[in-house]
Amino acid sequence: MSINVSNTPDMYKIYTSGRFTFNTKCRVRNTPDMSDPGIVTYQVGQSVNYDSKLKNGNHLWLSYMSNSGGRHYVPYANTDKGTYFGTDTNPGNPIKPASTNVSGGTPSTSPSHTNHGLGTLTGYAGANVADQTPDGTTLVISGSYKYDEPARGRDRTNMTNATTVDHIKIGDTIYYNAKIKSDGHYWLRYIHTSGATYYVPYATIDPYRPYGVSDSHPGDPVYSQETVTTPGNSGNNSNTVNPGNSAGNSSAGGLTPGQSLIDFVRDLGGISGLSESNCRVNDNAFQKLVDFHPNSKVTVRIPAGVYKVGRPEISSNVDFIGEDGATFLGTQTDNYASDTAHSGAAFQYECANNVAWSNVTFRGIDYTASNGSNVYRLVHNLLTSHNVSFTKCIFDQTESNGGHCIDLCGSSHIYINDSTFIGVGFDTIEPIRDKYCYKEAIQIDYDYESGTSATPLNHTYTFLPTHDVFIN
């Protein structure tokens, strides 16, 4: 069965990152064209980390930056045959649905409204129902939006009375945390490098005109005609909506589709306590979140307690919010080491995007092995991950004399705000001396094996640099 791309023009592109593993030999090319002779071939079982996808001809393509800095393309699906050439950690294709008109043209005569609720419509379909949505309606969702025309960031969602505080250039990407309908426009809410919250319009509603065509989470802050929302009598016309259900609709010990508020203990099975056996349990709790694969932002509440971890994997699109006293503690063993050079605990981020931690303490373990070496680490290991923030967090002796609190390898748009870093872990056999007196709490490096404090298994290194790191 073919893949329906009838409404998708050639070179239609989406900005999304992930890792693709091939089950078919695929040729890497300098252009997304099958007539390009190519430069190298991915073999069966090999993987590539990509930063975007596009459709051209009768193929879907992955796009990425090579080690030399050039942009390369490799096909991952044949649209005529409906055949995929492997498996994808971030499924999703560069295809425009027939009911959506994002980049102008003639609006659909009968736009699809089968998806109910806030934020499910876009383009002309969204413009057609905007009048029934009050100004100030906010869709809490995270993503990235690339502009193909200039725009101005403002301190409020107002085109005439707000103060201009930021200038968006052609080709700039905004990493947003919400969308708002206001003053005849759709707006993105985002955190500026200064730490301030700003707003920038991404489309004029009537007549509909977008300022870019590459939104990682398409959808506008409007209600469909089947779900008209009338503002209440309180006089407040600002309706903030989180997509999905609340935690109260979840089944015991599990997650329900669309759930947006998640409890680390009740829903994911996390357990507090100092038993070393808890490491596996809490690692599995994080894995449940990865398997849940949230496509829009979910909030994970972490109750007060001490949660021991080994090497949990971190999912994209998650806000981790700790109650006072919420603490993660590193393992006392080196059972989680994937090589002989690095031991201890690590939060593993591989192509993880839109992750936020707030009000959480991370603490290392003062443990001395029989050979005098120490396992004094609870590193955040970010590989090709983007839009990750830590706010009001404490890093208490989480780095050993050979590691770091946060390792950034080929990652970008990292925000560390109002957080505390305490001490360097060391063994008790000899005093701290010489070069061990100081360590880099936050290391900025390329995505390569020697750049990480906790080498993950089966990671394909891209050699991309880290950039846009903001510490306030």
Side-chain angles (χ1 to χ4, degrees):
M1 180 181 293
S2 65
I3 300 172
N4 184 9
V5 293
S6 59
N7 196 51
T8 306
D10 279 351
M11 301 304 293
Y12 180 79
K13 189 175 186 178
I14 61 173
Y15 290 84
T16 184
S17 60
R19 185 170 68 254
F20 192 91
T21 302
F22 295 91
N23 61 18
T24 305
K25 291 183 180 180
C26 291
R27 192 75 170 157
V28 178
R29 295 167 166 86
N30 289 315
T31 60
D33 194 317
M34 295 301 289
S35 64
D36 188 315
I39 52 178
V40 70
T41 299
Y42 275 104
Q43 303 296 321
V44 175
Q46 290 186 313
S47 300
V48 62
N49 291 323
Y50 58 85
D51 58 23
S52 54
K53 297 177 179 179
L54 69 154
K55 179 262 178 186
N56 195 40
N58 62 345
H59 284 80
L60 304 179
W61 299 79
L62 307 172
S63 180
Y64 66 95
M65 293 293 289
S66 68
N67 298 343
S68 61
R71 181 154 293 279
H72 290 163
Y73 305 86
V74 57
Y76 74 91
N78 184 304
T79 59
D80 290 344
K81 298 179 180 179
T83 303
Y84 289 87
F85 305 145
T87 57
D88 196 345
T89 62
N90 190 9
N93 294 323
I95 297 174
K96 288 175 60 176
S99 62
T100 301
N101 192 331
V102 180
S103 58
T106 304
S108 169
T109 55
S110 56
S112 173
H113 292 231
T114 57
N115 292 325
H116 304 305
L118 180 68
T120 56
L121 303 177
T122 191
Y124 275 94
N128 287 344
V129 298
D131 287 345
Q132 68 189 32
T133 301
D135 273 8
T137 295
T138 301
L139 171 63
V140 180
I141 187 172
S142 296
S144 59
Y145 190 94
K146 187 172 182 179
Y147 282 78
D148 58 11
E149 63 177 87
R152 294 180 178 181
R154 294 169 166 83
D155 62 352
R156 290 175 292 161
T157 55
N158 187 287
M159 294 297 292
T160 56
N161 297 325
T163 301
T164 298
V165 290
D166 197 12
H167 293 273
I168 314 302
K169 302 184 295 297
I170 295 174
D172 282 355
T173 297
I174 292 295
Y175 294 88
Y176 59 83
N177 54 38
K179 295 179 176 180
I180 303 169
K181 185 257 182 178
S182 181
D183 195 21
H185 292 76
Y186 297 138
W187 300 75
L188 303 176
R189 187 182 71 191
Y190 66 101
I191 300 174
H192 187 254
T193 57
S194 65
T197 295
Y198 292 159
Y199 307 86
V200 58
Y202 70 89
T204 301
I205 295 177
D206 188 15
Y208 182 76
R209 182 174 65 84
Y211 308 148
V213 293
S214 53
D215 188 350
S216 65
H217 284 115
D220 300 319
V222 291
Y223 291 98
S224 67
Q225 291 178 353
E226 292 90 339
T227 54
V228 175
T229 298
T230 303
N233 296 326
S234 64
N236 183 356
N237 66 349
S238 178
N239 303 313
T240 301
V241 178
N242 286 285
N245 300 322
S246 68
N249 295 327
S250 64
S251 57
L255 300 172
T256 58
Q259 183 175 340
S260 63
L261 183 60
I262 298 169
D263 189 280
F264 184 74
V265 174
R266 182 179 65 247
D267 297 318
L268 298 179
I271 184 171
S272 176
L274 299 182
S275 171
E276 192 68 13
S277 63
N278 291 350
C279 292
R280 293 288 185 186
V281 176
N282 291 325
D283 283 8
N284 287 336
F286 281 98
Q287 187 59 48
K288 290 178 184 177
L289 195 58
V290 173
D291 296 339
F292 186 54
H293 193 68
N295 291 318
S296 58
K297 206 65 166 293
V298 299
T299 298
V300 174
R301 169 186 168 272
I302 304 169
V306 178
Y307 305 92
K308 296 195 74 171
V309 293
R311 293 222 171 158
E313 183 177 351
I314 301 301
S315 171
S316 294
N317 302 316
V318 182
D319 277 343
F320 294 101
I321 300 178
E323 292 185 347
D324 289 345
T327 301
F328 285 98
L329 200 64
T331 176
Q332 287 179 285
T333 76
D334 61 359
N335 294 337
Y336 292 86
S338 58
D339 59 19
T340 58
H342 300 104
S343 304
F347 290 96
Q348 297 285 33
Y349 303 67
E350 290 194 73
C351 304
N353 302 320
N354 305 317
V355 179
W357 293 88
S358 60
N359 198 40
V360 175
T361 295
F362 306 100
R363 184 164 290 134
I365 282 288
D366 184 4
Y367 171 72
T368 303
S370 58
N371 63 0
S373 65
N374 67 303
V375 183
Y376 216 140
R377 175 183 288 113
L378 181 52
V379 63
H380 287 263
N381 197 37
L382 278 67
L383 293 92
T384 57
S385 297
H386 310 283
N387 198 29
V388 179
S389 66
F390 300 89
T391 303
K392 295 186 181 300
C393 290
I394 298 175
F395 301 81
D396 184 4
Q397 302 182 93
T398 61
E399 55 180 322
S400 73
N401 56 32
H404 312 97
C405 298
I406 301 175
D407 261 326
L408 303 175
C409 304
S411 298
S412 71
H413 293 88
I414 311 300
Y415 305 89
I416 297 99
N417 300 310
D418 199 15
S419 293
T420 304
F421 295 80
I422 305 172
V424 177
F426 199 70
D427 61 55
T428 58
I429 300 300
E430 59 179 321
I432 295 178
R433 56 181 172 79
D434 300 332
K435 65 180 180 180
Y436 300 122
C437 290
Y438 304 97
K439 282 300 299 178
E440 309 98 321
I442 304 164
Q443 174 156 285
I444 298 172
D445 216 325
Y446 288 79
D447 178 33
Y448 78 117
E449 186 169 3
S450 297
T452 171
S453 290
T455 308
L457 294 172
N458 303 320
H459 177 69
T460 301
Y461 293 97
T462 65
F463 296 90
L464 291 172
T466 291
H467 60 90
D468 290 288
V469 179
F470 306 97
I471 303 172
N472 180 20

